[in-house]
Each structure stands twice: as C-alpha cells, then as structure tokens.
Amino acid sequence: MAEQPDVLRRILAEGAPRIRAVAEQIAARRPRFVLLTARGTSDNAALYGKYLFEVRLGKPCGLTSMSTTTAYGARPDLRDCLVVTVSQSGGSPDLVASTRAAREAGAVTLAVTNNAGSALAGISEFHIDVLAGPERALPATKTYTAELLALYLLVEGLRVPGGLVAGDLAARALPDLAESVLARHDEVRALAARYRFAERMVLTSRGYGYPTAKEAALKLMETSYIPALSYSGADLLHGPLAMVDNISPVIAIVTDGKGGQALRPVLERLRDRGADLVVIGGHVEVRRAAAGFALPTDGVAEELQPILEILPLQRLAYEVTLARGQDPDAPRSLAKITETR
C-alpha cells in the first residue's frame, strides 16, 4: 500500500508517453464501441474504465462475460470494437483465451497488465504496462490504483488530440495527495475498531465511486472474511435497503461531484433507518455522518477521486483483519494468479 504514491509518479513520468503512443494508434482505428474484460480486483478497475469510456469518451461500453466464448464457444462479430483486457498478472487462461477469440473476431485488442512478458500481453495487439512492480502480498493494492490511472490516461489520450497531456496535468497532484492520505494511519485504525465484531457490512456509492465500493468490499471479504455487500446507491433502494437497521455498518463512498449528488437521497434514507453510517469522501458529507474519513478532493476532478477513495479503505481492510487476529497479507484460499477457464 505504501508504494502507491511512487507507482503513480512512475506512471505519470514513464508510463504516460507510452500510453499516449498506444492511444494514438487505437484512435486511428476509430473503434465504435468498447468491451472490457477482467476478473477480481481488475474487474473493479474495468468498471471504472466503463464509466470513463462512456462519460469522457461517449463510447458505448460493456463488461464481457468470458464464459460465452471460453465455455460456450460463441464468436460474436467484434469488428470496430476495442476490447480492453485488464489483469494484474496477465496469466489467467480464460483472459488469454477470450482475448485471442476477440482478436480473431476482428476486435482491436489491448491488454493492461503489470507484466509485460505475460501471455495476455503477447496475445494482444496493444499493451500498456502499469509499472507497479512486484506485489508480494496476495491482496492487490498498488496494481489497482495503477490500473485506474493507466485507464484514465488512456481514455484522455483517446478523447481528443493532446487530451492525454491535459489529463496528465490534471493527475499531477495525485501522488502527493495519496501520500497524505496514506499517512493518516490513526484515523483508519479508529474506524477499524467499529468493525472488529461485524457480522456483515454494506458498501454503497454512485457513479465513479461505485467501483470503489466494490473493490473495498472485495478487500474486506478476502482479508477479514466479513461478508461485505456492495451496491450502487440506486440498486440499494430497490430492495436491499430492507436489511439495513441500527446495527448494520454501512460505508458510503461519496465522490465530490455528480455521483455524490446522486447518492445524497440514499444517505438520507440510511440515516432514517438509523444505520451506523461511515462516509468516505468530501468534508461536508463526512461531518454529517456518524464517522468518516475526509479526503482532499478540492481541485481534484471527480473522475480522478477513486484513486484516492480506495486508499483509506485498503488500510481499513488491513486494520480490521489485524484486529480480528488474521494475516491480511496471506488470506486463506487465495493465490496470486487465479487460473479460471
């Protein structure tokens, strides 16, 4: 976790020119729509990418179901489609197989990985290395934020000529801000005390913050083994809100922008139900919650805030796991490369 500011600096300094070159080549192919393929933590990064492609680029974008090609043998016509496969290791057989099938079906294929020598990078027409370096703990942390920044820079590079330069400048403050967030150990440790004996948790957000809710829930489940349910704020109101009561811990990620505005009615409903509500986000909503972690969002574009939002939640998963007497770096039943087919 502590390496993330340096990883973000490395991407901006060394990775951005390479991403610019890839973006220029893909833009010349003029793809009409985008499909994103991933598993696990990278799937949450891909969901963030979906918001970027649709909001920033105006391209129809979907998340693939790999089994349609790997298990059922479907071969859809993917001409004029950009298929982006996001993977930390680039080694899972189903990712490699589905990307190969997409390329054979006429797609422009791009791998976003932390391993330039991986099978996935080799089978894809284009590749972006997120430059995170070896990640020895089983739960992915620095590779996640590296994937987010790489996807952001890619989309800005595709958006307009020179867009990546503007996007690069917009992201320049992130490494120092990330460093300041990660230094606030005591605040996160105090929050962790609320969840030591939790039997379940609910996480919610809207817009760009929704992938953060899903990734935080995954981190909590895979390290502390607490069932952590993540919902879009809109989906939470369509039924699951009924399970929330005055002993239910709820973490809301309130992005400063349109997503946060859309989440406010959900926060009011949660308060009405007496939920133990913790807010991760801007200062205003944090002050109105039972507890929270205020992020330095002033001047940070809404689409970049998820890179900061996840940091205290990674640390929260770590601290909760320690408080429950478990090892957050080596959770049971996990492997660094998950070989799904």
Side-chain angles (χ1 to χ4, degrees), residues 234-246:
D235 288 332
L236 185 64
L237 297 183
H238 281 262
L241 184 68
M243 71 178 171
V244 176
D245 53 30
N246 59 6

Side-chain angles (χ1 to χ4, degrees), residues 74-132:
R75 292 295 182 265
D77 184 351
L78 295 179
R79 287 172 293 179
D80 299 326
C81 178
L82 169 62
V83 172
V84 182
T85 307
V86 188
S87 171
Q88 175 187 335
S89 68
S92 185
D94 58 349
L95 293 170
V96 175
S98 64
T99 301
R100 181 186 292 110
R103 191 168 181 179
E104 291 170 353
V108 178
T109 53
L110 166 66
V112 178
T113 80
N114 193 38
N115 183 359
S118 65
L120 179 61
I123 199 65
S124 301
E125 186 174 357
F126 300 101
H127 176 250
I128 289 173
D129 188 342
V130 301
L131 303 173

Side-chain angles (χ1 to χ4, degrees), residues 251-317:
I251 297 176
I253 295 92
V254 186
T255 305
D256 188 4
K258 293 180 180 178
Q261 293 168 13
L263 189 64
R264 285 191 184 118
V266 182
L267 300 179
E268 293 303 324
R269 293 286 299 276
L270 288 167
R271 291 186 185 102
D272 290 344
R273 294 193 63 81
D276 177 13
L277 179 63
V278 167
V279 167
I280 309 296
H283 292 268
V284 174
E285 289 299 337
V286 169
R287 283 197 296 268
R288 298 187 62 202
F293 188 102
L295 292 167
T297 57
D298 290 348
V300 180
E302 180 179 2
E303 59 268 18
L304 285 170
Q305 291 175 36
I307 296 172
L308 300 176
E309 289 167 350
I310 192 58
L311 301 177
L313 292 162
Q314 290 174 345
R315 185 79 192 189
L316 180 68

Side-chain angles (χ1 to χ4, degrees), residues 12-63:
L12 291 168
E14 301 173 26
R18 303 176 198 178
I19 295 171
R20 182 183 302 116
V22 168
E24 288 174 355
Q25 293 178 76
I26 292 174
R29 304 278 286 276
R30 302 177 66 86
R32 292 188 303 106
F33 60 103
V34 183
L35 291 174
L36 289 144
T37 303
R39 295 283 192 202
T41 283
S42 293
D43 198 30
N44 298 325
L47 179 58
Y48 167 77
K50 183 178 188 296
Y51 278 92
L52 289 173
F53 278 110
E54 292 185 343
V55 177
R56 302 289 292 169
L57 203 58
K59 296 285 186 185
C61 185
L63 301 175

Side-chain angles (χ1 to χ4, degrees), residues 186-197 315-321 323:
D186 292 344
E187 291 180 58
V188 178
R189 197 170 293 121
L191 285 178
R194 305 170 75 91
Y195 306 119
R196 182 177 181 182
F197 301 108
R315 185 79 192 189
L316 180 68
Y318 176 86
E319 295 291 350
V320 169
T321 304

